[in-house]
């Protein structure tokens, strides 16, 4: 009886490993992952803002792609939207309002669990307006709180933001800004 249970356990472990290899084998992307994949934490992520070769500008709106990259040696899971907070040039928080969903330039891909292999990335589209308004916020930095985290990463963000309003999509493996 014990030998049979051990055989089933070994077979199950082998099947899970095989499935994980098939699921995680291509390009850092996966539709599902084995149980026990940890949530991506701030200590294992690097944040960057990039235009990805496309320029998001028009009608007093500007945008960029927010990219989080897994810097650990293991796969981690990421699901949902980032928390965002503008900071001034002295790293003091300034008034910020974040809207999750479609941006001026990109349709929201919706919440999906993403599995980031070591070196793999997730992207979200980040947009703000810079039109004349009674309240213009001069940012120096942007705090980014990954989904399911209480800690944040900070990147330079020297932008003038109307009313401190930001809009951002959910994370996806790739955001198309062309």
């Amino acid at each position: 009886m014990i030998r049979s249970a051990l055989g089933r356990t070994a077979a199950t472990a082998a099947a899970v490993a095989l499935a994980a290899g098939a699921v995680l084998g291509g390009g850092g992307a996966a539709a599902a992952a084995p149980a026990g994949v940890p949530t991506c934490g701030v200590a294992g992520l690097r944040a960057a803002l990039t235009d990805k070769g496309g320029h998001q500008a028009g009608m007093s709106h500007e945008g960029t792609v927010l990219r989080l990259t897994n810097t650990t040696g293991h796969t981690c899971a990421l699901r949902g939207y980032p928390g965002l907070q503008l900071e001034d040039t002295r790293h003091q928080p300034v008034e910020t309002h974040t809207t999750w969903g479609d941006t001026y330039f990109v349709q929201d891909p919706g919440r999906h669990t993403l599995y980031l292999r070591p070196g793999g990335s997730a992207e979200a589209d980040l947009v703000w307006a810079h039109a004349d308004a009674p309240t213009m916020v001069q940012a120096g930095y942007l705090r980014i709180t990954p989904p399911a985290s209480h800690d944040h990463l900070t990147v330079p963000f020297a932008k003038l933001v109307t009313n401190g309003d930001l809009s951002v999509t959910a994370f996806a493996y790739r955001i198309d800004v062309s």
Side-chain angles (χ1 to χ4, degrees):
M1 181 81 158
I2 293 173
R3 184 178 172 121
S4 177
L6 289 175
R8 281 193 301 265
T9 302
T12 301
V16 167
L18 180 60
V23 167
L24 298 173
V37 173
T39 299
C40 298
V42 169
L45 292 171
R46 180 179 64 245
L49 302 176
T50 176
D51 66 9
K52 288 185 60 174
H55 188 66
Q56 297 183 70
M59 300 297 291
S60 299
H61 287 81
E62 188 174 348
T64 189
V65 173
L66 165 60
R67 181 178 294 143
L68 294 181
T69 302
N70 179 359
T71 62
T72 71
H74 63 272
T75 298
C76 65
L78 191 68
R79 176 183 174 85
Y81 299 85
L84 302 172
Q85 173 70 56
L86 297 171
E87 295 181 344
D88 64 19
T89 57
R90 295 170 314 205
H91 291 284
Q92 297 302 305
V94 295
E95 185 172 353
T96 307
H97 310 275
T98 302
T99 302
W100 291 345
D102 295 342
T103 68
Y104 190 79
F105 302 103
V106 174
Q107 185 176 0
D108 183 36
R111 284 188 174 135
H112 300 285
T113 302
L114 308 176
Y115 297 97
L116 305 182
R117 293 174 65 177
S121 297
E123 300 177 343
D125 191 49
L126 169 63
V127 175
W128 61 96
H130 49 75
D132 283 336
T135 306
M136 297 299 289
V137 173
Q138 179 60 57
Y141 299 92
L142 178 66
R143 288 183 193 171
I144 303 154
T145 305
S149 181
H150 296 290
D151 296 324
H152 64 270
L153 301 160
T154 305
V155 295
F157 190 74
K159 302 291 181 180
L160 193 58
V161 180
T162 303
N163 300 320
D165 293 338
L166 302 171
S167 60
V168 66
T169 64
F171 281 106
Y173 288 114
R174 183 176 180 277
I175 295 290
D176 185 13
V177 295
S178 55

